[in-house]
Amino acid sequence: MTNDAAPLLVRTARFSEQPGRAARDRRRLCELRLGKNGGTGDSQFGQDHRMGELGTVESEERKKLGLRILAEQFDRLDRISDLAFIQVEKGSRLAHDAKINDYDSIDLQATYLEVAARDHLETLRRHITLDGGGIPAMSSFTLIRAAVECAAHGIWLLSSSKVDKRIFRSLQRHLMNRNDVEPLAQSLGISNPEGYARMRERLDGIHGSRGGLRQRSLDRPLTTTAVVSDADRFVKTLDLTGLQVWQACSGLAHGNSSSSLIFMERQRISTNGKVSTYSFTTSAYLIGQMFRVAVDYLDTLTVLYAQQAKANPARRD
């Protein structure tokens, strides 16, 4: 990851095994030319005492702390159980809910979401070099964002103490997912109107089977912001909330240059008085903090699932 010819890019992704080409590729990715109003040395944003001097190059001490946080979270990730290995017992809340929504039950949706969240974190883990501080510059945020979002949806499905609310959410989410991909299926010529109609009939049948479900429409809009905000109430994090991490990472994932000015390190390389070239790198400490929140979310999801998979004779929902 380290390149003597480009010391400012020491914590960027490696795109080639050829050193010369790697340095050029990293420079194309992480150097931005910014005009006078592009936001550089004098940040247009304030500083957050929890994150330190955002937008500057972190100290070696802070970098080591961030790498230590990442190492701790990697170990923690290894200790979190896969939901696929947790048996849903007869008489458990999950088994009870599956009898009501037997089309795409909550346990199946939560398991899928856990696999997706874990895979994103494991992928980032494989691309981080702890001994050299090598961290992908942009994709780190995208992977953390996806992990938080997936785990948040799982927590959102499981967290309510009211059976009708849990079932409604599982139906609403399934319909939203199907509606999201339907336009693409149509454009590709692989849409299945008959299958969609059967799906909608099944969901409407479950929806109409209980008075507590019929009070709200399945077509009610669902936003990820609302889902992550709700999940935040059940996840114990340290300095950053899940919503803050998801919003910050969303900006980087979508190429929002204003987000880069807040959350990435930058240092001027050259200027001609009108346009300056800056090196943008990723803070090990910030990524460590964000990765920890994503693991907090995954851990909460697995704990909720394990609790609801156990038989409970006293269950009254």
Side-chain angles (χ1 to χ4, degrees):
M1 291 287 185
T2 303
N3 188 300
D4 293 335
L8 297 178
L9 307 182
V10 65
R11 289 193 297 282
T12 62
R14 181 172 59 192
F15 297 96
S16 170
E17 295 300 324
Q18 304 174 24
R21 180 179 176 184
R24 290 194 301 273
D25 287 345
R26 287 197 294 268
R27 193 171 294 276
R28 277 197 293 271
L29 173 68
C30 295
E31 290 185 5
L32 301 177
R33 299 195 330 161
L34 302 172
K36 287 184 177 180
N37 297 322
T40 51
D42 294 328
S43 177
Q44 58 186 298
F45 302 100
Q47 297 299 333
D48 187 331
H49 71 280
R50 295 169 298 178
M51 293 292 98
E53 294 297 312
L54 293 174
T56 63
V57 177
E58 67 186 348
S59 66
E60 190 64 24
E61 180 182 2
R62 197 169 182 83
K63 172 186 170 183
K64 290 179 180 179
L65 176 58
L67 295 175
R68 186 161 66 247
I69 293 172
L70 283 167
E72 293 169 353
Q73 299 312 305
F74 292 168
D75 290 341
R76 189 175 163 209
L77 189 58
D78 288 334
R79 297 193 298 269
I80 297 177
S81 301
D82 290 336
L83 297 191
F85 299 106
I86 299 177
Q87 181 67 35
V88 177
E89 299 176 1
K90 183 178 180 180
S92 66
R93 174 182 285 184
L94 285 173
H96 175 261
D97 289 353
K99 291 179 180 179
I100 302 172
N101 178 7
D102 58 356
Y103 183 71
D104 187 14
S105 58
I106 293 173
D107 59 310
L108 295 181
Q109 292 191 42
T111 300
Y112 181 89
L113 290 163
E114 181 267 340
V115 170
R118 185 186 297 271
D119 186 67
H120 285 100
L121 293 178
E122 291 287 3
T123 298
L124 178 54
R125 173 184 182 175
R126 288 194 292 270
H127 287 82
I128 290 177
T129 307
L130 292 176
D131 56 357
I135 300 175
M138 296 287 191
S139 57
S140 297
F141 298 98
T142 305
L143 292 166
I144 291 172
R145 171 188 185 266
V148 169
E149 183 172 324
C150 290
H153 273 268
I155 295 167
W156 177 77
L157 286 171
L158 295 167
S159 58
S160 178
S161 61
K162 299 179 180 179
V163 60
D164 285 336
K165 192 170 186 177
R166 295 193 303 273
I167 298 300
F168 179 85
R169 286 178 171 182
S170 67
L171 299 175
Q172 181 189 26
R173 184 177 177 277
H174 182 95
L175 181 60
M176 177 196 72
N177 287 342
R178 186 65 178 267
N179 286 339
D180 280 349
V181 301
E182 189 61 23
L184 174 61
Q186 292 175 2
S187 71
L188 294 172
I190 58 174
S191 179
N192 181 1
E194 294 80 8
Y196 182 92
R198 288 194 298 270
M199 175 275 301
R200 187 62 200 250
E201 183 179 3
R202 287 287 303 278
L203 295 187
D204 286 341
I206 299 170
H207 181 240
S209 66
R210 297 171 64 94
L213 297 175
R214 292 193 296 268
Q215 297 175 6
R216 292 174 290 179
S217 169
L218 290 181
D219 296 300
R220 179 181 182 179
L222 175 63
T223 67
T224 301
T225 300
V227 170
V228 180
S229 296
D230 187 85
D232 258 343
R233 299 187 299 119
F234 301 92
V235 185
K236 183 179 180 180
T237 60
L238 293 178
D239 293 320
L240 295 170
T241 67
L243 182 62
Q244 289 171 332
V245 169
W246 180 79
Q247 289 174 326
C249 291
S250 293
L252 273 298
H254 295 148
N256 185 326
S257 59
S258 292
S259 294
S260 298
L261 296 177
I262 304 176
F263 298 110
M264 296 191 73
E265 302 173 329
R266 62 185 183 276
Q267 188 167 340
R268 184 185 298 183
I269 296 175
S270 64
T271 182
N272 62 9
K274 295 183 178 179
V275 176
S276 296
T277 300
Y278 284 79
S279 166
F280 276 66
T281 51
T282 304
S283 161
Y285 181 77
L286 180 59
I287 292 298
Q289 293 281 48
M290 289 181 166
F291 196 96
R292 174 160 54 193
V293 171
V295 175
D296 288 338
Y297 262 64
L298 180 63
D299 192 21
T300 301
L301 171 57
T302 58
V303 168
L304 284 173
Y305 186 96
Q307 291 172 344
Q308 296 181 25
K310 289 187 175 297
N312 181 13
R315 181 181 51 76
R316 296 184 180 279
D317 61 357

